[in-house]
Amino acid sequence: CSYCGKYFAIPRRNTAEFCNLTVDENGHTCREVGAVKRWAEKKNSDELFKEYRREYKKRFNWIKAGKISPGAFYAWSATAKGKRDECTDGKMSFEKFKEWLAES
Ligand SMILES: [Zn+2]
């Protein structure tokens, strides 16, 4: 189980990732708690990607407008990608990432 770490039997045709064995103090099984957690993670990374794309497009247009050089743009995008990955890995908060985007 990728939530509580216990081994459990996965029924055939089922790719269950969380068990139904452990129940927390609120009466929720790992499967329930885990599904909510996964959903939140997914949502978070979608938001992150959207934010990055928006900035990327904005800055890409700056090249055409002559506001920045292509070199500066590619340097920015490489750093931004690194920060985005740090964020995905949980090393940086989404808020911090947005702050960085706004400042850079
Ligand atoms: Zn579990």
Side-chain angles (χ1 to χ4, degrees):
C1 170
S2 47
Y3 194 75
C4 68
K6 275 184 190 149
Y7 287 105
F8 67 109
I10 299 173
R12 227 179 276 247
R13 290 183 292 114
N14 196 337
T15 51
E17 192 185 349
F18 307 107
C19 72
N20 248 334
L21 305 170
T22 314
V23 177
D24 70 8
E25 63 271 24
N26 300 315
H28 297 117
T29 61
C30 280
R31 191 161 297 168
E32 291 166 329
V33 181
V36 171
K37 191 165 165 273
R38 273 282 174 277
W39 177 83
E41 281 169 1
K42 168 93 172 47
K43 191 169 169 291
N44 208 5
S45 83
D46 285 351
E47 295 276 306
L48 194 62
F49 203 79
K50 239 188 272 169
E51 202 72 28
Y52 170 78
R53 278 307 293 178
R54 189 166 55 213
E55 284 292 323
Y56 186 96
K57 279 186 193 156
K58 189 173 91 186
R59 281 153 209 268
F60 191 76
N61 286 327
W62 284 357
I63 303 177
K64 282 188 269 176
K67 280 167 96 179
I68 54 166
S69 69
F73 170 77
Y74 288 115
W76 172 86
S77 85
T79 314
K81 215 177 273 177
K83 300 247 181 220
R84 192 194 64 196
D85 292 345
E86 273 182 41
C87 224
T88 315
D89 295 345
K91 289 178 200 150
M92 188 191 218
S93 73
F94 186 38
E95 289 308 310
K96 274 263 172 292
F97 181 65
K98 281 202 283 191
E99 267 174 39
W100 181 83
L101 284 178
E103 284 165 9
S104 66

